[in-house]
Amino acid sequence: MTDRTHVALIFGGQSSEHGISCLTAASVLGALDPERFDVVGVGISRTGRWTQVPLETIRDYRIIDGVAPEVAEPEHVAVWMVGEDGCQVATRDTSEHLADIHDVDVAFALLHGPFGEDGTIQGMFEMMGIRYVGSGVTSSAIGMDKHYMKVAFEAAGLPVWPYVVATAHRLRHHREQVHAEVAEKLTYPLFVKPARGGSSIGISRVTDPAQLDEAIDEAQKFDPKVVIEQGFTGARELECAVLGDPDSPDGCHASVIGEIRVKADDGFYDYEAKYFDEDGAALDAPADVTPELTATLQELAKRSFLAVDAEGLVRADFFVTPEGDAFINEVNTMPGFTQISMWPTLWQVSGHTYPELVGRLVQLALDRPVGLR
């Protein structure tokens, strides 16, 4: 068993998506074949303290009475070490001794949102020489920031719906200019979003100019920079899963198309609808779309993967208007990854099992060079 690949599952974190990250860890752990992988669980508490979490605890993570699991504040913290033979993670006890030392070949960071999906932890992996699943520092940062993501899309010639960026400086000193730009470029309804957030947390749907400042203030609770986007009326919300393949001429492969059908009257796919309200939305995989639209969205999904220089995986989200025009909304470089999440579901419908997908992502991480080599 000594030739097994040593995988560190890293989950939890300080973002508002802490609980969802824990659920993802439980799903991925269940898919990692113990004959092939030696797994250590590394949780990050809400206060940012690292700890080794027993695998039995991770397997038991689930939503109970509407409450997601979380990493408990540790009695003993975990530490990372880099030696001549590679990286290890260990537990430091109260006497400053190290115990539970585990080799790490690949880090699988299942962290959603800031400090995990935004290039932050990827930078730590790079400095420590650890191979890791998913996109690198720059592409993770771009994929997390809805402002620069749109800039990358526009530079690649992808269709982007109208938007306005409001930085903290603009909102503090030139808020009236933001209002004027919104009035000039956009029509209501609007969606006001934290620039670097996820799972629809902090997002407001605005139908009247009188609501705009309140929505901006809500978004700024999660990020000083805000993106204000043109709302869609009657558009379909379609998604495509992308899996990296360095040996392919396209650099990646695209799945079948899926659709989110929101049941709320305002059509807003919010945090509660995504994770806690079983009746909030329906996920159709595959979606009822024409072969022509499927081909268009698959091509746009692959181009969006390359536009942000992604690696491993992304989920590309689109809006398609009643007239049939497709617009790229965003890519997610660490999408929801439970077995019922859209990214794995689309690939399962496309003919790949969940364990196969997890194993493929780990292998892609093993095959990638460390640093810029």
Side-chain angles (χ1 to χ4, degrees), residues 235-312:
R236 301 176 70 182
E237 192 167 346
L238 301 171
E239 302 188 345
C240 183
V242 182
L243 180 64
D245 182 359
D247 295 327
S248 165
D250 290 338
C252 57
H253 301 287
S255 73
V256 300
I257 306 303
E259 180 169 14
I260 298 170
R261 291 187 291 107
V262 183
K263 299 180 181 179
D265 292 338
D266 60 6
F268 185 16
Y269 190 40
D270 63 8
Y271 181 74
E272 291 297 322
K274 286 183 178 180
Y275 299 114
F276 296 98
D277 182 0
E278 295 182 357
D279 299 320
L283 307 179
D284 295 340
D288 183 13
V289 293
T290 65
E292 293 78 14
L293 182 56
T294 294
T296 295
L297 295 182
Q298 288 175 332
E299 180 62 24
L300 290 174
K302 290 188 288 186
R303 287 174 59 193
S304 69
F305 182 92
L306 299 176
V308 299
D309 196 24
E311 296 178 77

Side-chain angles (χ1 to χ4, degrees), residues 84-225:
E84 293 181 358
D85 297 326
C87 183
Q88 296 176 315
V89 63
T91 294
R92 187 179 65 205
D93 64 22
T94 53
S95 61
E96 300 300 313
H97 293 155
L98 297 178
D100 297 326
I101 301 174
H102 295 266
D103 294 328
V104 176
D105 299 319
V106 173
F108 202 148
L110 302 166
L111 299 162
H112 301 300
F115 308 117
E117 195 179 343
D118 60 356
T120 307
I121 199 168
Q122 289 79 9
M124 186 193 87
F125 296 149
E126 293 284 356
M127 292 179 66
M128 300 183 72
I130 305 172
R131 288 175 168 83
Y132 56 95
V133 171
S135 292
V137 175
T138 302
S139 52
S140 294
I142 292 173
M144 190 68 198
D145 190 313
K146 294 176 177 65
H147 171 201
Y148 290 108
M149 184 196 310
K150 293 176 187 295
V151 172
F153 289 160
E154 290 169 328
L158 295 167
V160 176
W161 199 244
Y163 68 98
V164 168
V165 176
T167 62
H169 178 81
R170 289 190 75 197
L171 290 170
R172 181 179 179 185
H173 296 285
H174 307 288
R175 186 172 286 231
E176 70 285 352
Q177 293 181 6
V178 173
H179 279 268
E181 187 176 354
V182 168
E184 177 186 355
K185 293 184 176 181
L186 310 178
T187 58
Y188 289 81
L190 309 175
F191 284 93
V192 181
K193 305 178 178 182
R196 294 158 289 197
S199 290
S200 299
I201 295 171
I203 297 179
S204 301
R205 184 176 185 268
V206 177
T207 58
D208 187 274
Q211 303 170 335
L212 184 55
D213 278 327
E214 182 180 355
I216 288 172
D217 292 342
E218 176 64 22
Q220 284 197 299
K221 293 178 182 177
F222 302 93
D223 189 343
K225 184 167 67 170

Side-chain angles (χ1 to χ4, degrees), residues 28-78:
V28 172
L29 175 60
L32 287 167
D33 182 357
E35 295 296 318
R36 297 176 55 198
F37 304 105
D38 176 44
V39 183
V40 56
V42 184
I44 304 175
S45 74
R46 291 189 180 273
T47 63
R49 301 177 70 200
W50 298 60
T51 180
Q52 290 196 48
V53 180
L55 300 186
E56 311 83 67
T57 300
I58 300 172
R59 291 190 183 98
D60 287 339
Y61 282 155
R62 57 182 52 86
I63 294 175
I64 300 176
D65 296 329
V67 178
E70 63 180 64
V71 177
E73 291 297 329
E75 180 180 358
H76 305 299
V77 298

Side-chain angles (χ1 to χ4, degrees), residues 3 7 11 26 34 53 77 79 82 89 113 135 141 145 147 152 157 191 226 232 291 294 321 332 361 368-369:
D3 59 350
V7 178
F11 57 91
V53 180
V77 298
V79 295
V82 179
V89 63
S135 292
D145 190 313
H147 171 201
F191 284 93
V226 173
F232 285 88
T294 294
T321 68
N332 193 315
L361 291 172
R368 74 189 295 172

